[in-house]
Amino acid sequence: MAGAPAAVDLALQGGGSHGAFTWGVLDALLEDGRLGFDGVSGTSAGAMNAAVLATGLARGGPGEARRALAAFWAEVGGTPACFADMASSGAAAAPAPPAWPAWMFNAGNWPGMAALGAWARLFSPAQLNPFNLNPLRDILQRHVDPALVRQGAVKLFITATAVKTGQSRVFTNDDLSIDALLASACLPQLFQAVEIDGEPYWDGGYSGNPALWPLIYGTAADDLLLVQINPLQRDQVPRTAMEIADRVNEITFNASLVSEMRAIAFVQRLVREERVERSHYKDLRLHRIADEAGLAAYGASSKLNSDPRLLQALFALGRQAAQDWLVSHHADVGRRGTVDVGDVFLAPRGDPTPQAPIGPPD
């Protein structure tokens, strides 16, 4: 008789349409069934994946969660302006041949898109979209049930950034709302700030992508699985204005994660050297699912593209990455971490995805 699923926390990065990679990861983990989720921290698209996942689990378990995620992303794929501003949303809906190469999803490779983007940046979201239309609101209302999530067993931590202070605000099950999810995904270049309790918020990626500390302090699980969709490393130096902007975007949205990982690595070292009392600190077992090589062909500008073919390609990459990780590292869950924080996050790397088990079994 199979035992209970091993409890892990999930940390889900944001990244617009690249959240479909995380959808693929979650689909494979739910299908496998050997892991249970204690807490889930998510930002932007990661927050939406987290909320849809929690809704499905509360409604009917892993099978229902898989169906809920598939339905959510199917609707995103049928709505061109989900992750783009109104001025450039037509790019996502442009016709394309059935076998579209990855680079064609990058807006920077489209004739005229650089000029259109430069023109759009002359205006604020309030000027381009005075009625503050956001198709994600209606989609989220159909696929996320905050009341059901509040009753569920999964602890949610959704990060947004306070505009006035620059500090993060983490919404939990108790104060989860559709507005909180929209705030977590509110890129200020594309959408007007989302007001909650009189405070304006922007995308959570500026302050936590995703925030890890709520999982450390707010859950019992010692295994933390990061699903990473923003590449830490690019082999080519950006040359064009759009390539430079894309890379700055990636670095910015990884900065908070790298900072938290640096702190975690420091505490791990103190615990293992017995320089602090082990019972006072959570010695995390860290894991990571990523495919930097597979995602390398999809530039940051493709995060605004909700073409269904792109979403399906990213979903397939995510499923494969999760299946590979399960084969290699499921046995390590509850025993030892599979990510060396120093090698992956804090030092120049030759191998973009080192995931060897770290240390002896507990």
Side-chain angles (χ1 to χ4, degrees), residues 143-221:
H143 296 278
V144 175
D145 186 337
L148 196 60
V149 170
R150 282 192 280 273
Q151 300 169 13
V154 177
K155 305 175 186 70
L156 285 194
F157 305 98
I158 304 303
T159 302
T161 303
V163 176
K164 295 179 181 179
T165 66
Q167 300 300 308
S168 64
R169 175 174 174 180
V170 177
F171 298 87
T172 64
N173 300 56
D174 292 337
D175 54 7
L176 179 70
S177 65
I178 299 302
D179 279 342
L181 296 172
L182 291 173
S184 184
C186 181
L187 288 171
Q189 302 91 343
L190 306 182
F191 301 107
Q192 298 179 43
V194 178
E195 281 202 12
I196 300 174
D197 301 329
E199 290 293 326
Y201 292 94
W202 282 340
D203 195 291
Y206 296 113
S207 55
N209 192 22
L212 303 183
W213 62 264
L215 298 173
I216 296 172
Y217 294 106
T219 75

Side-chain angles (χ1 to χ4, degrees), residues 80-112:
C82 270
F83 298 113
D85 58 277
M86 294 298 176
S88 60
S89 62
W100 225 14
W103 63 268
M104 284 293 290
F105 292 109
N106 300 327
N109 295 316
W110 292 38

Side-chain angles (χ1 to χ4, degrees), residues 3-257:
V8 301
D9 286 334
L10 293 175
L12 309 181
Q13 276 201 317
S17 294
H18 289 201
F21 176 91
T22 302
W23 164 35
V25 170
L26 295 175
D27 188 75
L29 297 181
L30 290 164
E31 180 183 51
D32 181 80
R34 290 178 291 169
L35 297 179
F37 309 130
D38 187 1
V40 185
S41 179
T43 295
S44 193
M48 297 175 199
N49 275 319
V52 175
L53 169 69
T55 297
L57 288 173
R59 183 171 288 148
E64 181 58 34
R66 292 181 70 195
R67 287 187 289 272
L69 286 162
F72 170 76
W73 283 100
E75 192 162 355
V76 168
T79 310
C82 270
F83 298 113
D85 58 277
M86 294 298 176
S88 60
S89 62
W100 225 14
W103 63 268
M104 284 293 290
F105 292 109
N106 300 327
N109 295 316
W110 292 38
M113 282 304 297
L116 178 59
W119 174 83
R121 284 191 292 274
L122 296 175
F123 304 92
S124 73
Q127 293 171 309
L128 289 174
N129 184 11
F131 297 106
N132 202 22
L133 301 176
N134 190 337
L136 270 174
R137 178 179 294 279
D138 291 339
I139 294 175
L140 287 169
Q141 287 174 337
R142 286 189 285 272
H143 296 278
V144 175
D145 186 337
L148 196 60
V149 170
R150 282 192 280 273
Q151 300 169 13
V154 177
K155 305 175 186 70
L156 285 194
F157 305 98
I158 304 303
T159 302
T161 303
V163 176
K164 295 179 181 179
T165 66
Q167 300 300 308
S168 64
R169 175 174 174 180
V170 177
F171 298 87
T172 64
N173 300 56
D174 292 337
D175 54 7
L176 179 70
S177 65
I178 299 302
D179 279 342
L181 296 172
L182 291 173
S184 184
C186 181
L187 288 171
Q189 302 91 343
L190 306 182
F191 301 107
Q192 298 179 43
V194 178
E195 281 202 12
I196 300 174
D197 301 329
E199 290 293 326
Y201 292 94
W202 282 340
D203 195 291
Y206 296 113
S207 55
N209 192 22
L212 303 183
W213 62 264
L215 298 173
I216 296 172
Y217 294 106
T219 75
D222 289 326
D223 287 89
L224 191 158
L225 174 56
L226 168 68
V227 182
Q228 188 174 353
I229 58 178
N230 288 303
L232 290 164
Q233 179 171 307
R234 290 279 186 183
D235 292 333
Q236 302 299 320
V237 176
R239 300 294 182 186
T240 69
M242 185 165 283
E243 288 174 347
I244 292 169
D246 283 355
R247 186 56 183 150
V248 169
N249 173 284
E250 291 172 345
I251 292 171
T252 300
F253 280 87
N254 273 326
S256 59
L257 175 65

